Amino acid sequence: MATAPKSPASSQSDVTIELKGKKALIVEDFFSFRNTIKKMVKSFGLTDIDEAADGKEAIARLSQKKYDIILCDYNLGPGKDGQQVLEEARHREYIDYSTVFIMATAENTMDMFMGAIEYEPDDYMVKPFTRETLERKLRDWVNKKENLKDIERAFAKKDYEKVITLCDGLISGNPKNLAQLFKLKGEALIRKGDYPEAATFYEKVLTMGNMPWAILNLGKIRYIIGDYDEAKAIFQGLIAENDKIVSAHDWLAKVHEKTGNTQEAQKILQDAVRISPKAILRQKALGDVAYKNKDLAVAEQSFKEAVKQGKHSFFKSASDYTSLAKVLVDKNEPQEGLSVLSEAGREFTDSTEAALQISVTEVLTLKKMNREEDAKKALDKVSKLTAKLPGKMSTDVELDLAKALISSGDEKTGNAIIRRLVQSNHEDLELISTVQNVYKDLNIGDKGQQIIAVAREEVITLNNNGVRLVKEGNFAEAIKLFDQAVDNLPDNKIINANAAQAFIVFMKKKGRNTDLLKKTKECLDRVNTIDPAYKNLRTLMTAYKDLSQEQ
Amino acid sequence: MDDKLDFLDILASTLHDTKNSLGMLSNTLAEIIERYKDRDDSLFREFNMLQYEIKRLNHNQIRLLSLYKAERSQFAINIDLHSVSECLEEVVLQNDHILGSKGIEIETDCQEGLFWAFDRGLVSGILDNVLNNAFRYAKDKVRLSVARDGLYLAIRLEDNGPGYPEEMLMDGREGSFRRETIDFGTGSTGLGLYFSMLVAGSHVNKDRKGRITITNGGTLGGGVFTLYIP
């Protein structure tokens, strides 16, 4: 087992790795440090080296050029920090898994960034580091990443099957980036929707050591498949072992919210925010749950924090502002709410959806202030924006829009929006209860209840009829019914899944047909987009695959 | 004035600032040493001596900052699966210039392809510190070896120096730390060991906890430092 003593010469066994042609970006706010690092990097043979003095400049550079190596200081003075640079660069796809991203830090211990693997830097380096250490790190990482190029391409094409095969091939050779390959394989299994297989995989990984990310992913899988008790136990265990793993708090809060325990969810998020306040998504989640709990003080503080952090974050959104405005209205400070909204208007000038969301909230605010004329003007703006909107609205915006319309007297349009939302999600009890609250707020709770009940009943009957027709063997009628149903309710996962099932059963009995195969695929794709963990989606997909490959 | 700053916070931010200066010093010195590396004269050795002292200072700062974070409950441990040999090679690389300037040879013994779960930054920090100390204590040989010890990974650092002073040894009591060994007169604060213990202890796997031991003897007859990671 003994190996020869390692001298620096022999430890550079990766000399085959050529750093020369690589493109590097150095992000560091101190000029003298930046210069020192640049000199080091130059001495490794790199010639294409760019510099950035702060996060903003870094993003600008990254947007214009694809780098192989990024050396980024965590602490970049005011503005974005290194972590925010990483998050934004990944989201905008300026960098990918094969890019080497190394974060330089001032000391060993820092916040844990554990969540989706895309938010993790490849490595941390504690300052100061020697030239040799940096060279070694760069060579090691460039070498390690060499084998990720194919996996990267497969990931980009969403060919998870291939990602898994490629990972397996590499893992058997025990490469130095074993942990990263494990993470990628697990991620691919989850994205593919193969939850039992993914769980088995993480359990196997855990026999090699007690890695929190593997435990966290096990919990996530339990959450996705709706096994909330088990998910809760896993996240609680993780927190008991190491309460700095804030993502475990985030997930535990989600479990509590799903199971209706919003008070507990708020408490946990408040803990998490104490541990790691600099996380805009966490502040938003806390604001949302506190607002649900009618804890206006906490909601206000969280949304204010989200707005503040959003100034430098990729994750900023108009809803940070509109949520804050709603809280202020509820606190009887509508004037404050309006000024938050006008600030939002200045902040989001090039997004129709943002403008729409802001205007809708304006209508609601002005109504509360009894400024009917102004509310009317705002509503006109809303209709213009709605017509201009390129894509779909988010559910939250749609609900606010319905509320604004109904309160302005346009019950017909408002109720139609709600009807469609309910019919698209007729078994989503969380949404149904939110809708009920909208009607309650409008003081038409009873009427609303009736609208909701009728809308739901229609879908249930429709669905039941279709399922009955299939059972009776009346395929012609069943197919006609489902065909029409998915046309009317393309966002209803249950209708889509049952339609696909009817089509499949028919083709199994009577033989394939190209048109129906295409329709089946469309239904299944929609289910996969709406809810990849839908209960029998995998079975249906396999059945579809078998059918489409038949000779 | 009511908004009096907390002394600990002042201390921490001063440490940060000092660490930046040390970083500059260390990097500049490394460039100078690079220029002098072919000269085998006393100047070269003295520069390396300086580098050793700078590293010592830097380790002290890191330790203090980490303990400050622990005090503020901000101490986080980030466990992942790492190649053990890669981690050791990196630590050796950080030290063999300095040790080499004094004629101290580093021998490593680690199985390739061995993976273990630990916080790489913290563990390298401990090993870097112990190896840097060898500059002062080893005669001309240091041995870094890795072995599996039951359910633990044992990383051992041995030297052929005079060994740890009797009063620092832990009488075989695992994980205990004798406060009385802190001696401002000799400059041995034992803080390094205390910090190593803290880091080792924060590695937990099921009901097993990491620890360190220090003894004398071993294969080279000097001090033996062992870090056990579950």
Side-chain angles (χ1 to χ4, degrees):
Chain A
M1 189 162 102
T3 51
K6 287 256 154 70
S7 69
S10 72
S11 62
Q12 280 176 13
S13 51
D14 304 317
V15 277
T16 45
I17 299 307
E18 194 52 78
L19 290 176
K20 207 167 256 164
K22 303 288 176 199
K23 294 186 269 299
L25 175 67
I26 298 163
V27 190
E28 162 70 60
D29 55 339
F30 280 104
F31 171 74
S32 53
F33 263 152
R34 203 161 66 231
N35 226 13
T36 310
I37 296 171
K38 193 176 175 182
K39 262 194 251 168
M40 287 186 186
V41 176
K42 238 183 194 160
S43 76
F44 310 151
L46 277 85
T47 47
D48 197 342
I49 309 165
D50 290 335
E51 302 165 50
D54 57 37
K56 210 174 150 194
E57 198 184 340
I59 291 295
R61 294 257 179 210
L62 287 162
S63 71
Q64 278 157 20
K65 189 161 156 188
K66 200 96 180 165
Y67 292 95
D68 305 298
I69 296 165
I70 295 153
L71 278 167
C72 183
D73 193 35
Y74 174 73
N75 221 320
L76 294 171
K80 289 183 207 299
D81 62 30
Q83 182 63 26
Q84 288 171 327
V85 170
L86 172 61
E87 285 170 3
E88 181 159 351
R90 284 251 204 265
H91 259 266
R92 297 192 186 273
E93 296 182 356
Y94 295 158
I95 59 175
D96 38 40
Y97 293 116
S98 57
T99 316
V100 176
F101 193 107
I102 293 175
M103 191 86 83
T105 65
E107 77 250 49
N108 270 10
T109 51
M110 57 184 309
D111 288 349
M112 297 237 326
F113 302 109
M114 209 177 37
I117 46 171
E118 55 254 44
Y119 303 149
E120 282 179 37
D122 293 306
D123 217 331
Y124 294 99
M125 274 185 100
V126 182
K127 293 200 295 192
F129 37 78
T130 63
R131 203 178 67 91
E132 287 83 4
T133 318
L134 181 61
E135 179 171 13
R136 166 96 206 178
K137 270 244 151 92
L138 291 186
R139 282 192 194 284
D140 273 348
W141 274 107
V142 169
N143 186 25
K144 282 184 198 172
K145 293 265 174 149
E146 206 54 41
N147 61 12
L148 290 181
K149 297 247 152 92
D150 292 337
I151 295 179
E152 182 109 79
R153 271 189 284 274
F155 241 116
K157 279 194 237 148
K158 297 194 172 153
D159 188 350
Y160 302 123
E161 205 70 63
K162 189 162 178 203
V163 172
I164 294 161
T165 317
L166 287 169
C167 285
D168 281 339
L170 290 171
I171 287 167
S172 61
N174 233 3
K176 285 189 168 166
N177 58 344
L178 195 59
Q180 195 175 21
L181 289 166
F182 281 157
K183 287 178 193 175
L184 286 166
K185 182 180 169 180
E187 189 88 6
L189 283 166
I190 291 180
R191 295 218 187 150
K192 200 184 132 207
D194 202 341
Y195 304 112
E197 185 69 28
T200 313
F201 170 72
Y202 285 118
E203 267 153 17
K204 216 180 103 202
V205 167
L206 282 169
T207 61
M208 299 184 67
N210 195 28
M211 281 82 71
W213 55 263
I215 304 173
L216 189 79
N217 277 311
L218 271 181
K220 270 201 278 202
I221 293 169
R222 296 286 165 221
Y223 173 87
I224 294 170
I225 61 178
D227 187 351
Y228 299 126
D229 284 343
E230 188 59 31
K232 191 168 118 187
I234 290 172
F235 296 132
Q236 280 171 339
L238 205 48
I239 292 167
E241 257 179 39
N242 183 348
D243 72 344
K244 298 293 172 301
I245 302 174
V246 275
S247 11
H249 289 83
D250 296 339
W251 281 96
L252 182 58
K254 279 185 192 222
V255 172
H256 282 303
E257 262 203 274
K258 274 278 177 205
T259 48
N261 198 345
T262 48
Q263 295 294 342
E264 192 60 26
Q266 179 180 336
K267 215 182 111 233
I268 287 159
L269 284 173
Q270 278 176 292
D271 284 343
V273 160
R274 255 193 297 278
I275 298 167
S276 178
K278 225 179 149 184
I280 180 170
L281 296 180
R282 182 170 306 124
Q283 296 285 0
K284 282 190 215 193
L286 175 56
D288 283 334
V289 73
Y291 189 59
K292 264 188 207 161
N293 290 335
K294 305 224 183 302
D295 187 340
L296 297 180
V298 172
E300 180 183 0
Q301 200 195 350
S302 307
F303 287 128
K304 275 194 173 150
E305 193 57 41
V307 164
K308 197 173 114 203
Q309 293 181 17
K311 301 254 190 268
H312 303 296
S313 169
F314 174 73
F315 294 112
K316 80 166 178 186
S317 79
S319 69
D320 308 343
Y321 293 80
T322 54
S323 301
L324 177 58
K326 281 191 230 172
V327 174
L328 291 168
V329 169
D330 284 12
K331 276 186 73 193
N332 265 326
E333 296 166 17
Q335 197 56 51
E336 304 284 317
L338 279 183
S339 60
V340 168
L341 290 173
S342 62
E343 193 191 331
R346 289 191 297 273
E347 202 66 42
F348 301 87
T349 44
D350 46 10
S351 156
T352 312
E353 173 158 24
L356 176 65
Q357 188 167 14
I358 295 163
S359 301
V360 166
T361 317
E362 239 158 23
V363 176
L364 294 171
T365 309
L366 291 165
K367 276 269 163 198
K368 275 267 154 72
M369 300 167 86
N370 293 320
R371 285 167 54 179
E372 296 298 334
E373 275 308 305
D374 295 327
K376 209 172 195 160
K377 270 185 220 151
L379 192 64
D380 285 344
K381 201 170 154 199
V382 167
S383 352
K384 277 188 202 125
L385 288 165
T386 312
K388 251 179 43 186
L389 190 70
K392 268 191 226 172
M393 270 178 245
S394 76
T395 308
D396 289 338
V397 180
E398 273 196 299
L399 274 176
D400 281 343
L401 175 60
K403 203 170 164 183
L405 287 164
I406 296 172
S407 64
S408 310
D410 187 353
E411 280 193 38
K412 202 174 147 226
T413 322
N415 286 334
I417 291 174
I418 287 184
R419 232 177 86 87
R420 208 175 37 73
L421 264 179
V422 169
Q423 292 202 327
S424 295
N425 305 278
H426 71 282
E427 285 190 2
D428 182 345
L429 299 181
E430 221 180 305
L431 178 88
I432 306 278
S433 112
T434 313
V435 174
Q436 264 160 1
N437 285 334
V438 169
Y439 281 120
K440 253 185 233 159
D441 284 351
L442 293 163
N443 287 323
I444 44 170
D446 290 342
K447 197 174 162 199
Q449 197 108 30
Q450 211 189 340
I451 293 171
I452 295 167
V454 171
R456 286 187 78 193
E457 195 52 43
E458 277 176 22
V459 186
I460 294 167
T461 311
L462 179 73
N463 187 46
N464 288 348
N465 285 343
V467 173
R468 183 176 43 79
L469 287 168
V470 174
K471 270 190 191 147
E472 291 168 1
N474 191 348
F475 294 116
E477 285 298 312
I479 285 168
K480 209 172 114 198
L481 181 144
F482 275 121
D483 208 11
Q484 210 169 29
V486 290
D487 260 357
N488 290 334
L489 299 168
D491 295 327
N492 187 309
K493 61 182 179 186
I494 299 166
I495 296 285
N496 274 296
N498 286 340
Q501 185 158 19
F503 300 158
I504 288 169
V505 171
F506 171 75
M507 285 187 281
K508 271 189 179 160
K509 289 238 156 82
K510 311 277 176 182
R512 321 189 290 175
N513 110 35
T514 329
D515 183 43
L516 218 45
L517 266 179
K518 194 175 144 246
K519 280 184 178 157
T520 311
K521 172 105 197 344
E522 284 165 2
C523 289
L524 292 177
D525 284 347
R526 280 195 291 264
V527 180
N528 200 22
T529 314
I530 302 164
D531 179 9
Y534 187 74
K535 55 184 194 289
N536 60 349
L537 177 62
R538 298 301 131 189
T539 327
L540 289 171
M541 276 181 156
T542 315
Y544 164 76
K545 231 180 184 171
D546 290 347
L547 265 174
S548 60
Q549 278 161 4
E550 246 171 47
Q551 290 304 309
Chain B
M1 280 220 308
D2 271 355
D3 41 326
K4 196 174 154 216
L5 289 169
D6 185 304
F7 176 67
L8 270 183
D9 292 331
I10 298 174
L11 194 63
S13 69
T14 312
L15 282 173
H16 257 292
D17 198 40
T18 316
K19 241 177 83 47
N20 280 339
S21 295
L22 277 180
M24 283 309 301
L25 265 179
S26 174
N27 284 328
T28 314
L29 189 56
E31 283 168 27
I32 296 172
I33 290 175
E34 183 71 23
R35 262 184 268 148
Y36 279 80
K37 71 177 169 201
D38 297 329
R39 288 170 55 170
D40 188 27
D41 58 9
S42 65
L43 201 56
F44 177 68
R45 280 190 294 280
E46 277 158 25
F47 281 147
N48 274 292
M49 180 70 174
L50 277 179
Q51 193 65 290
Y52 156 77
E53 290 293 345
I54 291 176
K55 279 195 76 176
R56 246 171 65 84
L57 277 172
N58 191 51
H59 277 294
N60 279 329
Q61 317 266 334
I62 290 179
R63 226 173 278 143
L64 283 174
L65 278 168
S66 303
L67 291 171
Y68 161 79
K69 282 213 156 190
E71 182 77 26
R72 289 272 189 271
S73 304
Q74 293 168 345
F75 188 76
I77 167 159
N78 186 3
I79 291 185
D80 209 341
L81 201 59
H82 299 288
S83 157
V84 180
S85 61
E86 194 184 67
C87 173
L88 296 196
E89 278 164 27
E90 183 191 320
V91 177
V92 169
L93 197 65
Q94 278 165 2
N95 287 278
D96 66 1
H97 275 314
I98 298 183
L99 296 191
S101 76
K102 238 184 117 184
I104 301 169
E105 191 194 327
I106 309 174
E107 183 190 317
T108 49
D109 178 2
C110 176
Q111 194 191 342
E112 284 286 332
L114 178 63
F115 285 83
W116 207 263
F118 55 91
D119 184 315
R120 183 161 167 177
L122 289 174
V123 167
S124 324
I126 293 182
L127 296 176
D128 188 39
N129 179 229
V130 186
L131 206 50
N132 194 47
N133 284 341
F135 179 83
R136 195 144 151 199
Y137 299 109
K139 210 170 107 238
D140 57 7
K141 223 172 158 65
V142 185
R143 188 182 140 83
L144 188 57
S145 62
V146 175
R148 282 191 69 156
D149 188 334
L151 293 165
Y152 292 83
L153 180 78
I155 304 178
R156 182 160 295 139
L157 199 101
E158 301 165 285
D159 67 33
N160 63 351
Y164 290 97
E166 200 56 41
E167 63 272 17
M168 271 183 80
L169 297 178
M170 295 171 183
D171 335 321
R173 283 180 300 145
E174 273 168 14
S176 62
F177 171 70
R178 288 165 57 170
R179 257 163 220 285
E180 57 269 30
T181 61
I182 297 184
D183 182 345
F184 292 107
T186 64
S188 160
T189 59
L191 205 58
L193 284 179
Y194 173 67
F195 185 61
S196 302
M197 241 163 53
L198 194 82
V199 168
S202 60
H203 283 78
V204 180
N205 190 356
K206 305 211 171 65
D207 52 354
R208 300 184 297 279
K209 213 171 155 181
R211 62 179 196 278
I212 59 163
T213 61
I214 56 170
T215 51
N216 285 328
T219 59
L220 297 178
V224 181
F225 172 93
T226 314
L227 168 67
Y228 294 92
I229 310 171

